[in-house]
Structures are given as structure tokens and as C-alpha cells.
Amino acid sequence: ERPLGTVGNVRIIGATTKRIQISWNSVPGSSGYRIYWRLADGGPETSRSVATAINTFDILNLQPGMSYIIRVSSLFGDHEGTPVTITAATGPAERVQGFRVTVVDTD
């Protein structure tokens, strides 16, 4: 049995406080890809599958200022190739600056 193809060049192409965007090189013969992610310090893992024509993915609704473990693997029918793992972080939450209360209504 030949080894399944491994996704190459998994990288971060964008990040905000609540989103990380990744991309990877396509694997010839793949029927799709599976992306897994979880907080680096533990917690449940989430995954999504995408079609073979897709090689970018936006991981949404993340927590600001946190590191995430992200794995990407190629799919070949019912089989999954060895995942490639990277670590990425969301941006820190923005602090409110220069906030003043100018009118206080006591009603």
C-alpha cells in the first residue's frame, strides 16, 4: 500500500483577533482536505472538510490573543494522510483608549 500524500507548505496568510486564515499546497489525487484546530493550551478540537479545489481556509470565531494548534491533512476517499501541524495566534483584543464619561444621568 502506497503512502498517502502529505499536504505541503501549510502557512498562515492572515490573522485578526478572531480569525486565522491558512493555505497549503494541493496534493495530486486528493479527494479533499481536513482542517483541525484547538487552543494550544487544551480544549476540544474542531474540524472541517473542504473540497479538493480549495487550498485556503478561514478559521472563524476564535478567541483574541490566543495560540491555536492547526492540523491539515489530505483526504483520499475514506483514508486520511498524515496531518501537518502548525501553531498560530490571533491578535490581542484592542483596548479602549481615551474613554471619558462627560454626562452622568442619575434618573
Side-chain angles (χ1 to χ4, degrees):
E1 186 175 313
R2 73 176 184 86
L4 302 177
T6 301
V7 174
N9 199 24
V10 178
R11 60 202 178 277
I12 308 305
I13 57 173
T16 67
T17 56
K18 293 188 173 190
R19 174 183 67 88
I20 294 172
Q21 186 178 37
I22 62 170
S23 70
W24 59 90
N25 291 354
S26 300
V27 177
S30 174
S31 60
Y33 303 95
R34 184 175 302 278
I35 300 99
Y36 300 87
W37 65 93
R38 68 172 176 81
L39 283 166
D41 59 3
E45 187 171 65
T46 303
S47 72
R48 294 287 182 273
S49 295
V50 296
T52 188
I54 295 173
N55 71 339
T56 63
F57 187 77
D58 283 5
I59 304 170
L60 304 174
N61 302 317
L62 302 176
Q63 298 178 34
M66 301 297 285
S67 289
Y68 287 84
I69 304 292
I70 301 166
R71 299 185 298 136
V72 181
S73 60
S74 54
L75 301 175
F76 297 87
D78 293 340
H79 301 285
E80 190 168 334
T82 303
V84 173
T85 303
I86 61 171
T87 302
T90 52
E94 293 183 18
R95 294 187 183 147
V96 176
Q97 296 181 8
F99 180 80
R100 292 188 317 182
V101 176
T102 56
V103 176
V104 176
D105 187 352
T106 56
D107 287 350

